[in-house]
Amino acid sequence: MLTVSPLTLGSVRLDSPVLLAPMAGITDRPFRRLARRFGCPLAFSEMIASGRLATAHAATLRMSDGDGEAGPTAVQLAGHDPAVMAEAARVCADRGALLIDINMGCPAKKIVKGWAGAALMRDEPRAVAIIDAVARAVPHLPVTVKMRAGWDADHRTAPRLARLAEERGARLITVHGRTRDQFYGGRADWAVVGEVKAAVSIPVIGNGDVTSADDARALMAATGADGVMIGRAAQGRPWLLGHVARALATGGAEPPPPDPITRGAIALEHFDALLDHYGAFVGLRVARKHMAWATQGLRAATALRRAVNTEDDPDRARDVLAAFWATAQVAHPAESTDAPMAPTRREAA
């Protein structure tokens, strides 16, 4: 059985190296709080635009706010200007962040056109300058970098960029085993995670197609990675990270998912937290995708999603959800249920 060691990054110590991926529009404070309550060792903020954070944009500051979260606060920054990224990192540190992550993997066109995210893998001098500036700005905090395998199949530059990142002060590298041009299609190539692990002496986290403790063990055994990051598989399942972490820490089986009644209580708690966090109008619209993910695999999920998506009154929408969950049952394979709602490219960054 694979032995998993705790992971220590400065003052941040993780008993089990299982990380919740930063996902724009998804890993907001309500979702992170739920995930942490179920035992998620480390949950990253949504990808945050450094320029807005550096200028104290109110809504962006709220995205970086870890108030009320258990455990260390980790913030992911996106941008292309080293000085602005450094200032944004200082703002996060002043607001209590204990870890700063630099996004060099987002494939979204809007991000890439601004020479941020995965575009930095095509501009290594700029990427290195950003890592150096952020590490110098917050020398008391661990700075980590999330990247992809490369820009495309002909430019799998992650091992080289990881070496440069380590030289400039990065304390951990996360590698998504897809190139930018793959977006989220096909299978993640875990081999590149092993190549990065061989190229650096700092911890390496593998990301891509990890949906269970068995997947996590397989990735780590195949690559030598120090841990895993889970993103899309956690949508609608805030308990998943905690279950995987527990299995890796104990060497045992992954706990079963909650029963439908418990899942319903979790979903309604999440719904209420989203409305409290965003306000009724925005909160209801944000909640719709989370409620669809939460009902995946249950009978009548398609009809429920249709009802919630067309209901503009938050109280009535909650009543519809409560009625559904009161009688929720797992669907048989032959029954029709919702297919998983794929995130937008921005959300899945």
Side-chain angles (χ1 to χ4, degrees), residues 3-308:
T3 300
V4 177
S5 301
L7 182 63
T8 300
L9 300 168
S11 63
V12 177
R13 186 184 188 278
L14 309 178
D15 291 333
S16 187
V18 179
L19 285 59
L20 175 63
M23 293 180 283
I26 298 170
T27 54
D28 51 21
R29 187 167 63 186
F31 189 86
R32 296 194 306 270
R33 280 179 171 174
L34 271 179
R36 295 304 298 266
R37 199 179 80 209
F38 284 100
C40 172
L42 184 65
F44 283 84
S45 73
E46 305 171 73
M47 177 183 68
I48 299 176
S50 58
R52 291 191 170 208
L53 192 57
T55 56
H57 183 267
T60 308
L61 287 173
R62 184 176 64 179
M63 291 170 65
S64 68
D65 188 356
D67 184 47
E69 289 184 49
T73 303
V75 177
Q76 189 190 66
L77 300 176
H80 70 279
D81 186 309
V84 174
M85 289 283 282
E87 178 58 26
R90 282 190 285 266
V91 170
C92 291
D94 290 343
R95 292 172 59 82
L98 295 181
L99 187 150
I100 304 296
D101 187 69
I102 300 172
N103 184 308
M104 295 191 178
C106 179
K109 289 182 179 179
K110 179 179 179 181
I111 303 299
V112 168
K113 284 178 67 176
W115 283 100
L120 292 171
M121 300 197 75
R122 293 203 298 174
D123 189 350
E124 289 180 359
R126 184 182 294 274
V128 167
I130 287 172
I131 297 166
D132 184 68
V134 172
R136 289 176 182 273
V138 288
H140 57 299
L141 298 185
V143 172
T144 65
V145 179
K146 187 172 190 289
M147 62 181 66
R148 285 194 162 228
W151 181 258
D152 56 33
D154 295 326
H155 300 88
R156 289 164 51 94
T157 56
R160 184 173 68 243
L161 182 56
R163 282 195 299 270
L164 294 172
E166 180 180 16
E167 291 172 2
R168 295 307 189 277
R171 302 282 296 276
L172 175 145
I173 303 293
T174 300
V175 187
H176 184 141
R178 289 181 174 87
T179 56
R180 185 270 171 177
D181 66 345
Q182 285 182 276
F183 284 88
Y184 297 92
R187 291 288 301 172
D189 182 3
W190 290 350
V192 73
V193 179
E195 293 167 15
V196 171
K197 179 61 182 174
V200 299
S201 61
I202 56 178
V204 172
I205 302 296
N207 178 219
D209 298 339
V210 177
T211 65
S212 66
D214 286 344
D215 289 340
R217 291 187 177 110
L219 184 152
M220 295 173 70
T223 66
D226 300 278
V228 296
M229 178 176 281
I230 298 176
R232 290 174 293 162
Q235 292 166 358
R237 300 193 289 170
W239 58 83
L240 177 63
L241 277 290
H243 283 193
V244 171
R246 189 181 314 164
L248 295 187
T250 63
E254 181 180 334
D259 60 78
I261 297 300
T262 304
R263 285 170 61 180
I266 295 167
L268 289 171
E269 178 185 349
H270 192 189
F271 180 89
D272 293 340
L274 287 167
L275 267 64
D276 182 65
H277 183 69
Y278 290 106
F281 182 83
V282 175
L284 175 58
R285 282 144 185 84
V286 173
R288 285 169 176 164
K289 61 189 174 188
H290 289 282
M291 296 303 102
W293 289 322
T295 57
Q296 171 63 24
L298 299 175
R299 293 179 184 173
T302 300
L304 173 77
R305 188 174 76 179
R306 187 179 303 115
V308 173

